[in-house]
Amino acid sequence: MPNPGTSLHLIWVTPNDLRTTMDAATFLDTTEEMRKLGWKVSLLSGAPHEVTNVRGIEITPISSPDIYFLGQHIFHQRALRFIKSQQSSADVVLFQRVSGLWMLSMHPWRQLRRRSGPLIVLDTRSVYMPDKSARRDLKGIVREVYLKTINHLANRWADGQTVITERLAKSLQIPEEKILGIWPSGVTPERFSTASADRHWPAPDQDIQLI
């Protein structure tokens, strides 16, 4: 833990490019609010190395090839290198399941070297829901096995977990002592103020337009 008078340091890992990913607000808006509360947040994103700011929020870009597994592996190896360089100051490493294979490897590494390090925390926002009516393909099977494996390992190796709902925590059988928080999704009301004011409900006999 940090010394008195120092801020907590969170390293938040996402292989997504925060300029284009649909859930960018989860990372960017939350990072902004945490920094206002005094946290030091290192937001690692799979963005080109020249991109250091997204929507006014400072990020740490980690570029990698646009080849799925190879790109993921290179990104996470570079992320682990960054984490190790910050080991003396980092308090928490937060990540999602796509990063679990690499981030959870810090646990046996700490055990072997008998070293302490930042808390390893998995954040889960959804569950994999394959189309039961469709024929299962190899990609879907591998994805399902991977996610279940990460959940199993996280229940044993992660120092803690956060989830979007209590029901999800129960579904994933997360040990109660490892649940650090229930973190529901939210929105910034000001961002949607114009849409709220301009909303016009259709009349009973009016067609609904899908845009």
Side-chain angles (χ1 to χ4, degrees):
M1 297 300 291
N3 296 321
T6 63
S7 60
L8 290 164
H9 183 189
L10 168 69
I11 299 178
W12 198 351
V13 180
T14 174
N16 296 326
D17 185 342
L18 292 175
R19 298 173 303 168
T20 56
T21 186
M22 290 182 63
D23 61 346
T26 298
F27 301 92
L28 298 172
D29 291 359
T30 308
T31 293
E32 182 179 24
E33 293 303 318
M34 292 186 73
R35 287 173 177 167
K36 289 178 181 177
L37 291 172
W39 283 72
K40 176 182 178 182
V41 182
S42 298
L43 181 55
L44 277 54
S45 166
H49 65 86
E50 68 273 9
V51 179
T52 59
N53 191 292
V54 178
R55 302 182 196 172
I57 305 300
E58 180 184 348
I59 69 167
T60 300
I62 299 181
S63 60
S64 59
D66 191 18
I67 304 172
Y68 185 69
F69 186 78
L70 177 62
Q72 289 282 346
H73 182 67
I74 292 175
F75 169 86
H76 286 100
Q77 287 299 319
R78 291 174 176 171
L80 286 171
R81 194 178 308 148
F82 176 89
I83 292 168
K84 289 175 182 177
S85 74
Q86 301 292 311
Q87 190 161 341
S88 62
S89 68
D91 299 292
V92 181
V93 175
L94 182 65
F95 60 94
Q96 294 183 332
R97 289 181 297 176
V98 67
S99 302
L101 179 65
W102 295 271
M103 297 298 109
L104 289 170
S105 70
M106 289 190 288
H107 174 81
W109 183 84
R110 289 188 313 192
Q111 297 290 98
L112 288 172
R113 293 178 175 264
R114 296 182 180 180
R115 292 182 180 178
S116 61
L119 297 178
I120 306 169
V121 179
L122 171 65
D123 176 52
T124 305
R125 318 300 298 164
S126 64
V127 294
Y128 178 56
M129 295 180 289
D131 184 354
K132 299 295 184 181
S133 64
R135 181 179 178 182
R136 302 291 301 282
D137 60 1
L138 180 60
K139 183 178 179 181
I141 293 172
V142 170
R143 179 178 176 83
E144 186 172 8
V145 170
Y146 171 79
L147 294 177
K148 286 182 177 180
T149 301
I150 295 303
N151 285 133
H152 175 73
L153 291 176
N155 286 346
R156 297 182 59 193
W157 288 356
D159 296 303
Q161 298 189 52
T162 60
V163 289
I164 193 170
T165 64
E166 184 177 354
R167 186 172 181 178
L168 179 58
K170 292 180 179 178
S171 173
L172 299 176
Q173 299 180 341
I174 300 174
E176 187 173 343
E177 67 273 12
K178 293 213 171 186
I179 301 175
L180 300 182
I182 308 296
W183 176 24
S185 292
V187 298
T188 305
E190 294 79 10
R191 184 170 296 169
F192 294 90
S193 59
T194 302
S196 177
D198 292 343
R199 179 188 297 146
H200 299 286
W201 295 106
D205 58 346
Q206 185 178 355
D207 292 336
I208 298 176
Q209 296 182 354
L210 300 179
I211 302 175

